[in-house]
Amino acid sequence: RFLASEAERRAHLEEEPSGIKRVGSWQNLVLFGAGMKHAANCALFPELTDVLEGLPEATSMSFGRAFLSVMTAGTRVETHLGPNNARLRIQLGLVIPANASMRVLDRTLTWREGEALVFDDSFEHEVLHNGRSLRALLIVDVWNPALDDARRAALVLQHRDAEHQRAYFMQRRFHVDHGTWFDRSCHI
């Protein structure tokens, strides 16, 4: 059972916030994101949460998420790239109708229920769902196995520093020393 009713989906799923251009509806329920557990969402899927908690490569991934992804029929997610190649993306087919596919570079891939696709999402990719019903995946980002522990730790520290700096400047985005006001479109 995967959020079987429309009411459950409306109550728990949120539109994908990435800003990637798309036509149609792409909704998610994040279980782990940026290395943090989303307890309320995890409570909806306790067995899945137990499995994910047994995969520190996924739950500690500061550049990614573990989430349930739902697309309605007719959705197209335009060509995009992941943020870096520090991660690999695993997509496990949960509910896969006919005519749902993903293109990574020049290869067209199709999901199968109960099977996983793994790819480096820093490569150009897009999703086409020309089926007639919902498409649902479990998507889990894991550390790229080419990175040793020292490099992972360095990336986590860099990411935290960058996030801290971004939060600091976003918090102060409307006020600069000397009382000067500006909007988000200004570049510092």
Side-chain angles (χ1 to χ4, degrees):
R1 185 183 90 75
F2 174 77
L3 298 175
S5 75
E6 178 66 28
E8 285 180 300
R9 288 191 294 277
R10 274 196 310 272
H12 299 293
L13 294 173
E14 297 179 353
E15 277 299 313
E16 165 61 35
S18 64
I20 298 169
K21 289 187 177 185
R22 64 184 167 271
V23 173
S25 177
W26 176 20
Q27 297 180 308
N28 297 325
L29 184 127
V30 177
L31 302 166
F32 291 86
M36 297 177 5
K37 181 177 182 177
H38 293 251
N41 291 345
C42 287
L44 297 170
F45 298 93
E47 292 174 5
L48 176 56
T49 299
D50 287 346
V51 170
L52 291 171
E53 287 178 328
L55 301 170
E57 299 83 3
T59 58
S60 70
M61 171 35 86
S62 57
F63 298 102
R65 303 176 287 172
F67 62 102
L68 298 166
S69 171
V70 175
M71 269 187 193
T72 57
T75 298
R76 177 178 184 261
V77 177
E78 292 188 13
T79 301
H80 60 284
L81 308 168
N84 57 51
N85 67 348
R87 70 183 189 199
L88 296 180
R89 179 155 277 184
I90 301 168
Q91 297 187 342
L92 175 67
L94 301 174
V95 179
I96 307 299
N99 299 315
S101 64
M102 172 175 58
R103 181 189 57 78
V104 178
L105 295 175
D106 62 350
R107 293 185 59 201
T108 299
L109 307 171
T110 55
W111 301 275
R112 292 185 188 157
E113 290 182 12
E115 294 184 15
L117 297 175
V118 180
F119 70 102
D120 179 339
D121 85 330
S122 70
F123 293 129
E124 177 183 282
H125 59 285
E126 67 180 330
V127 177
L128 301 168
H129 178 11
N130 295 319
R132 296 180 182 265
S133 59
L134 291 177
R135 185 230 59 187
L137 303 172
L138 170 63
I139 299 178
V140 180
D141 295 324
V142 297
W143 286 104
N144 186 323
L147 298 174
D148 62 22
D149 289 342
R151 185 66 179 134
R152 288 180 189 180
L155 287 168
V156 168
L157 288 176
Q158 278 181 318
H159 182 70
R160 285 186 185 150
D161 286 347
E163 284 297 305
H164 177 33
Q165 288 175 357
R166 186 186 72 75
Y168 176 83
F169 285 112
M170 290 304 290
Q171 189 176 34
R172 289 157 182 77
R173 70 181 172 260
F174 297 111
H175 188 266
V176 178
D177 291 333
H178 313 296
T180 305
W181 291 87
F182 65 98
D183 66 22
R184 287 178 157 175
S185 64
C186 293
H187 298 282
I188 297 174

